């Protein structure tokens, strides 16, 4: 039952979080449940999905843990069907999956190139399309969110494969927003600069560099990304679609500093 203070409009909605068992995905699953949604937690690692689904059930919301490889279409379609069988037709989804595949382009193998696109772009396209088809079939409005990266806008040496895939994602949300908007489906991305997810170690030097260069002086926490995703999926963002939301601690405000021109003075 929705309360009058349900500003997020998430009470009793059915959510599916692909990559929802760990890091940012774990926090996204838990935030959606805290906001009142029932959650299908999908992950390629069964224990991760089960642990978070259990935590959600203990909090009084319904949840199901499902194992899936989001880069394989049959697996995605079957997993969505199982989620809907358990919890009802899906209203909102997030994909929180991606991995850096680093290397200089001169040395990059075709396998590395395809892997970068498979894990960073196909991993969004397949579940988003499956969920959009379900929403349209069921005549429901809905919202879809993914996690892009500043690498998709600016890139850097060694980021060729990852950056191109994330740029593809930033483009794709706009096409999806345009094609699916008439069905009441919104599509957006949250864009981190750096986020302290458990699998990453920035090292002391990396953290010191962030303290020096980032206005907020530190990487995001996984929960800060989850809150941005929750916002994009919620009624608070009911007129926001095709948008790539910077969640970067102000990194994008420091280009001139990084280029060494932030402290220029006039010669006379
Ligand atoms: N951490 C950062 O600094 C940073 C910066 C920019 C963008 N991002 C983006 O944030 C997103 C999440 O990053 P993270 O560090 O939380 O990821 P993570 O690797 O910690 O978590 C991803 C989850 O997805 C699951 N997963 C992996 N492959 C899967 C597959 N094929 N099918 C189903 N599940 C699969 C993993 O088991 C894991 O639970 C990614 O898109 C990443 O590119 C991260």
């Amino acid at each position: 039952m929705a309360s009058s203070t349900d500003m997020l409009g998430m009470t009793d909605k059915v959510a599916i979080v692909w990559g929802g068992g760990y890091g940012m995905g774990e926090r996204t699953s838990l935030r959606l449940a805290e906001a009142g949604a029932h959650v299908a937690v999908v992950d390629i690692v069964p224990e991760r999905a089960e642990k978070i689904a259990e935590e959600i059930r203990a909090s009084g919301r319904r949840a199901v843990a499902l194992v899936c490889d989001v880069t394989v279409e049959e697996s995605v379609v079957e997993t969505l069907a199982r989620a809907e069988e358990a919890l009802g037709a899906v209203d909102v989804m997030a994909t929180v999956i991606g991995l850096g595949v680093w290397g200089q382009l001169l040395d990059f193998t075709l396998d590395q190139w395809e892997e970068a696109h498979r894990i960073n772009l196909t991993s969004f396209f397949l579940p988003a399309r499956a969920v959009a088809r379900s929403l349209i079939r069921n005549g429901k409005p809905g919202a879809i969110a993914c996690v892009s990266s500043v690498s998709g806008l600016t890139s850097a040496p060694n980021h060729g494969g990852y950056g191109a895939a994330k740029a593809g994602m930033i483009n794709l949300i706009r096409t999806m927003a345009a094609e699916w908007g008439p069905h009441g489906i919104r599509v957006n991305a949250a864009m981190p600069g750096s986020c302290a997810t458990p699998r990453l170690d920035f090292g002391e030097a990396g953290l010191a560099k962030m303290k020096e260069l980032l206005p907020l002086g530190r990487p995001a926490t996984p929960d800060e990304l989850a809150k941005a995703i929750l916002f994009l999926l919620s009624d608070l963002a009911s007129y926001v679609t095709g948008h790539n939301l910077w969640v970067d601690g102000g990194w994008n405000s420091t280009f001139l500093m990084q280029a060494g021109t932030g402290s220029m003075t006039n010669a006379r």
Side-chain angles (χ1 to χ4, degrees):
M1 169 82 71
S3 78
S4 57
T5 55
D6 183 20
M7 275 191 300
L8 298 174
M10 208 52 80
T11 303
D12 288 331
K13 290 276 169 62
V14 175
I16 184 163
V17 184
W18 309 86
Y22 193 59
M24 266 178 230
E26 165 182 338
R27 290 308 313 162
T28 302
S29 300
L30 294 171
R31 281 285 182 186
L32 282 161
E34 190 188 343
H38 309 292
V39 187
V41 184
V42 181
D43 209 286
I44 203 166
V45 181
E47 311 82 64
R48 288 181 176 174
E50 193 46 63
K51 176 174 174 286
I52 302 308
E54 189 50 52
E55 204 172 315
I56 292 171
R57 285 191 289 266
S59 77
R61 299 279 88 194
R62 292 192 292 134
V64 61
L66 297 166
V67 178
C68 168
D69 180 347
V70 290
T71 65
V72 177
E73 187 160 26
E74 307 84 76
S75 179
V76 167
V77 170
E78 191 196 317
T79 301
L80 178 61
R82 286 168 59 207
E84 296 196 320
E85 203 178 295
L87 300 177
V90 162
D91 299 285
V92 298
M93 76 150 248
T95 312
V96 199
I97 294 172
L99 204 57
V101 182
W102 312 122
Q104 295 273 312
L105 292 175
L106 289 177
D107 306 321
F108 227 51
T109 65
L110 185 58
D111 279 353
Q112 284 176 305
W113 176 259
E114 286 174 350
E115 173 60 9
H117 285 73
R118 204 176 62 82
I119 197 63
N120 291 297
L121 190 54
T122 309
S123 65
F124 171 54
F125 169 60
L126 290 178
R129 186 171 66 170
V131 165
R133 283 176 171 162
S134 158
L135 289 166
I136 293 166
R137 200 169 47 242
N138 290 309
K140 286 180 128 189
I144 292 173
C146 62
V147 183
S148 59
S149 168
V150 293
S151 298
L153 284 187
T154 62
S155 210
N158 293 316
H159 285 231
Y162 181 71
K166 290 292 187 182
M169 180 184 253
I170 292 165
N171 183 277
L172 200 55
I173 57 166
R174 295 163 66 91
T175 305
M176 289 173 172
E179 291 189 0
W180 303 342
H183 298 282
I185 301 170
R186 299 183 298 101
V187 187
N188 293 291
M191 182 168 68
S194 295
C195 178
T197 50
R199 75 180 160 79
L200 281 184
D201 181 1
F202 293 110
E204 271 181 39
L207 290 171
K209 196 87 184 155
M210 285 182 215
K211 196 166 175 22
E212 178 197 344
L213 287 179
L214 286 177
L216 294 188
R218 60 171 178 81
T221 65
D223 194 50
E224 285 169 324
L225 265 300
K227 286 188 290 185
I229 294 168
L230 177 62
F231 162 71
L232 292 171
L233 294 179
S234 79
D235 281 358
L236 292 180
S238 59
Y239 202 58
V240 180
T241 194
H243 184 70
N244 181 39
L245 179 67
W246 297 86
V247 190
D248 67 339
W251 176 85
N252 76 89
S253 311
T254 64
F255 287 130
L256 289 179
M257 274 164 71
Q258 290 174 49
T261 52
S263 54
M264 276 187 306
T265 53
N266 287 324
R268 60 189 174 88

